[in-house]
Amino acid sequence: MSIRDVIATLNQMEADRVIERYAIGGAVAATFYLEPVATLDVDVFVAFGTEPGKLIATPKQIFDYLLARGSSMKGEYMMIGGWPVQFLPPATPLVEEALAQAREIDVDGVPARVFSAEHLAAIALQTGRAKGKARLLQFLEEGALDGPRFQEIVQRYGLVDAWTRFERQFISDKP
Amino acid sequence: MTASMQKILESKLALRRELAKRPIAEKLRMLDAMREREVAIREKARPR
C-alpha cells in the first residue's frame, strides 16, 4: 500500500496521454506542506475529456486505462497501490486555477504535482467544511502559507467575507 | 488558559512543526501506515 505507487501511476497516465494534467488535492496534498494528515483516500483533479459523439465529459477513459492494468473499482474510487483514488473534475474556477498552477514536487526522484498550499487553503475556505477550516488553521499556525499570495487569491475569488468570518471565529478574540 | 495548558499546546504545535519539516517521502510513508491502521481498525469494528 503506497502513495508513491499512486503518484507513479498518475505520471504514467500523463505520459500515455490518458490525462492531460493532474494535480493531487485534499489531505494528501496538505501533507506535502504540513504534518501527515490521516486520510482514507486520494483526491486527484484532472480535466476530463469528452468521448467521441458525446458532449458530457467523463472519466471513462481513465477507468478503462486503469482497469486494463489491473486496478479495480470500488464505488466511485479506483484502487491504485492499495489506495482508493477519486478522480475529480475542477468544479470551480478556483479549483481550475489550482490545477493549472499546481506545483511539481520531488518525492525521492519521482515528480508529484500537487495544489499549492495557498490554493489548498483558499479551497478550504471556499468549501467551508469543518475539516477544511481545521486544515486552514493548521496552515496558518504552522506558517505554511505565503500570506500575500493567499490574500491575493482570497480577494480574486470573492472570499474576503468568508475570510473575515473565519478570522473573527478562529483567530481574533473579537466577539 | 492555565500556564500548564499553554505549555502543553506549545509542545503539541512544536511536534506538528517538527513533523511537517520531515522529508516528503517520509511523510507519505507515514500516511500509508496511518491508512493501514485505520482500515484495520474499521475492519475489526465492523459488526459480524
Side-chain angles (χ1 to χ4, degrees), chain A:
Chain A
M1 185 178 285
S2 167
I3 291 270
R4 279 178 58 105
D5 292 342
V6 176
I7 294 167
T9 301
L10 293 171
N11 289 336
Q12 191 58 50
M13 288 170 75
E14 225 178 56
D16 291 342
R17 296 176 178 272
V18 179
I19 51 178
E20 201 172 295
R21 181 181 175 82
Y22 80 85
I24 299 170
V28 174
T31 295
F32 279 72
Y33 307 101
L34 303 170
E35 75 273 23
V37 182
T39 184
L40 287 170
D41 60 4
V42 186
D43 293 335
V44 177
F45 291 83
V46 289
F48 295 157
T50 50
E51 288 178 67
K54 291 186 179 174
L55 293 174
I56 299 169
T58 75
K60 184 177 182 305
Q61 202 181 353
I62 295 170
F63 294 166
D64 289 347
Y65 175 93
L66 291 169
L67 289 169
R69 283 158 184 78
S71 295
S72 59
M73 280 195 85
K74 199 173 177 183
E76 293 176 352
Y77 295 94
M78 289 301 303
M79 296 302 295
I80 304 174
W83 277 86
V85 178
Q86 192 162 34
F87 289 92
L88 301 160
T92 68
L94 172 58
V95 179
E96 274 178 22
E97 182 182 282
L99 176 58
Q101 296 183 8
R103 296 177 55 196
E104 201 160 291
I105 298 176
D106 182 89
V107 183
D108 275 359
V110 178
R113 198 174 302 112
V114 297
F115 284 177
S116 71
E118 294 74 27
H119 280 104
L120 286 168
I123 290 166
L125 188 64
Q126 187 177 57
T127 309
R129 291 186 302 171
K131 72 176 182 180
K133 286 178 181 172
R135 190 174 298 154
L136 178 51
L137 260 182
Q138 281 176 274
F139 274 114
L140 295 166
E141 284 178 356
E142 295 178 32
L145 292 181
D146 175 335
R149 184 165 185 241
F150 172 64
Q151 288 300 334
E152 185 266 322
I153 295 170
V154 163
Q155 291 202 356
R156 212 153 28 81
Y157 285 94
L159 296 169
V160 174
D161 288 348
W163 172 247
T164 304
R165 280 195 302 276
F166 179 88
E167 261 191 317
R168 196 182 304 135
Q169 192 174 5
F170 296 106
I171 300 174
S172 69
D173 292 319
K174 291 175 200 162

